[in-house]
Amino acid sequence: MIQVQENDFDLKTEYERLCTGKNVGAIVTFVGRVRDFSSDHSAFFLQHYPGMTEKVLSKIESEANQRWPLIKSQIIHRVGNLQVEDQIVFVGVSAQHRKDAFAACEFMIDLLKTQAPFWKKEGDQWVEANIADDEAAKQWLTD
Amino acid sequence: MSNETQSLNTLHILYFASLGDRLGCQKEDFTVDQAPLSVSALRTILSQRGEAWLAITEHETIRCAINQEIASEDTTIPNNAEVAFFPPVTGG
């Protein structure tokens, strides 16, 4: 499942959603938080492209499910006004085995970082894209 | 129908994040008298609006999506399409 929302998410609730059935032997979750990009704690805003965002996230999730035998997967991304230290993104997967769960979770966040149309703005400054994120995503695309 | 009608391309264009700020424009409906119209041709047309609009020609960094799918420079833009231009994404 994918969700784009302004509201915060609850880790325990999301964890429990991934624990479905006796076959779940491994759960890997990732949480991204709003870092302090500059010294002043100015307003933080997350813009996205409604419609395309959901399409891209769904595609990333379904690709992960094609590559690895997952039991459940979940992507949640927040948008709108946020503050430093807020949770911003959740990626969680359950699988029978940990290697599949680790790989699928990393794959989803790496692709999300470079493909999903979200843009961070701190104060009146748009945050610049990170080259290291491109490199991280590329490793999956050349497989 | 006349050929004249067919050669008109009405587009709904969106400009996101820093690009929207640079252009002072977040969205517009734009009719162009050129069909078929490629992404690179649209960039050229828009760039002729003035200095700020040269930003739209930075095809290495400013991505283009047509009807919410990433497009390449030679993709033909269908009539009535939703076209989006945006800088590199920074979510997650």
Side-chain angles (χ1 to χ4, degrees):
Chain A
M1 258 180 65
I2 61 127
Q3 277 171 258
V4 179
Q5 62 189 43
E6 290 194 10
N7 296 342
D8 198 6
F9 48 84
D10 177 56
L11 270 185
K12 187 166 178 288
T13 308
E14 298 313 322
Y15 174 80
E16 282 166 0
R17 273 189 202 157
L18 295 167
C19 299
T20 49
K22 292 175 182 166
N23 281 335
V24 173
I27 290 177
V28 172
T29 63
F30 170 84
V31 175
R33 296 168 84 233
V34 180
R35 259 190 303 138
D36 203 358
F37 286 95
S38 67
S39 50
D40 62 338
H41 293 255
S42 43
F44 188 93
F45 179 73
L46 230 144
Q47 188 186 29
H48 77 121
Y49 181 177
M52 183 167 172
T53 306
E54 290 81 356
K55 280 188 189 176
V56 172
L57 294 182
S58 294
K59 201 173 157 204
I60 291 169
E61 189 195 25
S62 82
E63 206 174 319
N65 278 273
Q66 281 164 22
R67 287 191 182 210
W68 294 279
L70 305 180
I71 294 166
K72 274 205 126 180
S73 52
Q74 172 79 296
I75 302 175
I76 302 172
H77 206 297
R78 294 179 69 193
V79 292
N81 292 308
L82 295 170
Q83 294 184 332
V84 170
E85 297 185 6
D86 275 352
Q87 303 185 123
I88 185 168
V89 60
F90 173 87
V91 178
V93 299
S94 54
Q96 279 188 301
H97 306 291
R98 72 179 183 284
K99 282 201 170 184
D100 294 331
F102 271 122
C105 186
E106 193 177 13
F107 170 86
M108 286 201 280
I109 187 63
D110 281 353
L111 264 66
L112 183 155
K113 294 282 283 186
T114 55
Q115 295 184 358
F118 294 101
W119 300 274
K120 291 188 183 112
K121 190 179 194 182
E122 201 195 22
D124 56 5
Q125 284 285 81
W126 291 98
V127 173
E128 296 271 328
N130 187 345
I131 292 169
D133 290 338
D134 285 338
E135 296 302 318
K138 264 185 210 159
Q139 69 172 333
W140 300 107
L141 302 173
T142 52
D143 275 359
Chain B
M1 291 306 247
S2 70
N3 288 334
E4 206 176 315
T5 321
Q6 288 172 7
S7 67
L8 280 181
N9 229 327
T10 300
L11 309 172
H12 314 282
I13 314 183
L14 304 166
Y15 307 96
F16 284 97
S18 57
L19 180 67
D21 285 359
R22 285 167 77 184
L23 302 177
C25 180
Q26 269 72 43
K27 63 174 181 177
E28 64 174 323
D29 286 338
F30 182 62
T31 302
V32 55
D33 185 12
Q34 188 176 325
L37 178 72
S38 69
V39 170
S40 78
L42 177 62
R43 286 187 200 263
T44 304
I45 291 167
L46 294 172
S47 73
Q48 287 159 1
R49 288 173 166 180
E51 204 171 327
W53 286 85
L54 287 173
I56 210 86
T57 61
E58 295 165 11
H59 63 93
E60 302 265 315
T61 50
I62 303 297
R63 309 291 301 274
C64 178
I66 298 172
N67 293 328
Q68 306 183 351
E69 302 272 352
I70 289 291
S72 59
E73 289 308 291
D74 56 4
T75 306
T76 299
I77 306 174
N79 188 25
N80 234 10
E82 178 176 292
V83 181
F85 289 101
F86 49 82
V89 300
T90 54

